[in-house]
Amino acid sequence: MRQYIIAGNWKMNKTVSESVKLAQEIVQQVKDIKKTEVVIAPTFLAAAKVADVIKGTNVKLAVQDVHYEDQGAYTGKISVDMVKEIGAEYIIIGHSEQRQYFHETNETVNLKVKKTLAAGLKPIICIGETLAEREGGKLESVLQAQVEGAYKDVSAEDALKTVIAYEPVWAIGTGVVATDEQAQDTQKFVRSLVEKLYGASVAGALRIQYGGSMKPDNAAGLLAQNDIDGGLIGGAALKADSFFAIIAAAEAR
Ligand code: PEP
């Protein structure tokens, strides 16, 4: 059975002190959570302080991006080694906001995925279609290009260390959530793409999160779907109570 993974993506929200406070609240709330993997992704600026707060707890650290070079003249960027040193376990790669606003492509996603895996960290690889792509009949081709792009030259053994977050772009931050059936159908398709690349055993083990306006009131329905193994949560992860309610829905499965 695949372990649920609920990850909070705080995006460009919370000062360092606010991040520390939210992390402390989350640690307190999830201390009895046993089955579900809980991950939080603060800003780079807050990540080291948040790492101190969650050290030795059942909350894991992610960051929201990374650069694919080791070091050097890349103003504003952060390397995998820097992320690793503070104890992060996951790196979110290819978020639609990165793709939309910061020139992320399937090629740069692939470079970041390989760099992350080479350092022994785990990528959360975000994929998803825009509304125009879905309505224009391009859903499958877009997802196929994103999956094949992300995993180019990644071994099956390494692929198993990754998590995919399927996030329909039209559902992110909009309050419009995919229906349980839409999410399930698409995630089943995504799993079939993984199967084509790596075979049934890797596809059956690889976790696929849903992301896009997942909230306490729709989480149980989404998480009940066969191919939904957790959530990547934006807005609802910014308050400990709503984040915990989603974690509790996963834990109750
Ligand atoms: C996200 O940004 O990954 C996300 C899913 O955001 P929200 O939950 O706010 O839609």
Side-chain angles (χ1 to χ4, degrees):
M1 217 184 100
R2 297 183 294 264
Q3 183 188 22
Y4 282 101
I5 173 166
I6 304 292
N9 173 13
W10 296 0
K11 309 193 184 185
M12 196 176 74
N13 292 293
K14 309 279 178 195
T15 64
V16 175
S17 61
E18 289 167 347
S19 300
V20 165
K21 183 166 173 287
L22 178 56
Q24 285 166 338
E25 289 168 3
I26 291 169
V27 163
Q28 192 53 31
Q29 292 217 17
V30 307
K31 64 181 186 318
D32 296 324
I33 294 293
K34 302 262 182 292
K35 296 187 294 176
T36 306
E37 194 171 7
V38 178
V39 180
I40 54 178
T43 64
F44 287 131
L45 194 63
K49 284 255 174 85
V50 167
D52 289 341
V53 174
I54 65 180
K55 201 169 184 180
T57 74
N58 55 351
V59 179
K60 295 176 175 173
L61 184 68
V63 294
Q64 301 173 20
D65 187 29
V66 75
H67 193 46
Y68 50 79
E69 295 291 353
D70 289 328
Q71 59 183 49
Y74 301 101
T75 302
K77 298 299 172 197
I78 298 279
S79 78
V80 167
D81 283 348
M82 296 171 192
V83 171
K84 189 172 177 176
E85 191 193 65
I86 62 160
E89 195 169 317
Y90 286 95
I91 302 181
I92 298 173
I93 296 174
H95 192 278
S96 65
E97 288 150 16
Q98 281 287 128
R99 293 178 190 261
Q100 195 178 344
Y101 306 132
F102 304 113
H103 313 292
E104 187 89 278
T105 64
N106 292 335
E107 289 70 35
T108 58
V109 167
N110 179 244
L111 293 171
K112 292 176 180 183
V113 166
K114 288 189 290 196
K115 188 59 76 177
T116 299
L117 288 164
L121 302 188
K122 302 174 195 161
I124 296 178
I125 302 168
C126 302
I127 60 169
E129 81 290 359
T130 63
L131 191 57
E133 287 163 346
R134 180 174 272 262
E135 290 180 346
K138 295 197 183 122
L139 172 68
E140 297 196 347
S141 60
V142 166
L143 295 179
Q144 183 172 357
Q146 290 174 336
V147 170
E148 288 178 0
Y151 287 95
K152 185 165 177 284
D153 301 326
V154 173
S155 69
E157 192 190 334
D158 273 348
L160 275 171
K161 297 172 194 149
T162 69
V163 173
I164 294 179
Y166 166 62
E167 303 203 295
V169 179
W170 45 272
I172 296 180
T174 58
V176 181
V177 67
T179 64
D180 297 347
E181 294 71 26
Q182 270 175 330
Q184 165 56 26
D185 287 352
T186 313
Q187 300 209 183
K188 190 174 172 192
F189 173 70
V190 171
R191 200 176 297 284
S192 78
L193 294 172
V194 176
E195 183 169 346
K196 269 193 207 128
L197 292 178
Y198 296 110
S201 130
V202 172
L206 192 144
R207 293 179 295 172
I208 307 178
Q209 298 172 303
Y210 168 82
S213 297
M214 190 185 266
K215 310 269 181 223
D217 61 352
N218 59 32
L222 288 160
L223 293 168
Q225 306 305 310
N226 277 346
D227 288 292
I228 301 186
D229 308 313
L232 182 57
I233 323 293
L238 295 174
K239 290 210 167 80
D241 285 351
S242 48
F243 188 51
F244 179 69
I246 295 171
I247 294 163
E251 189 77 358
R253 296 281 319 151

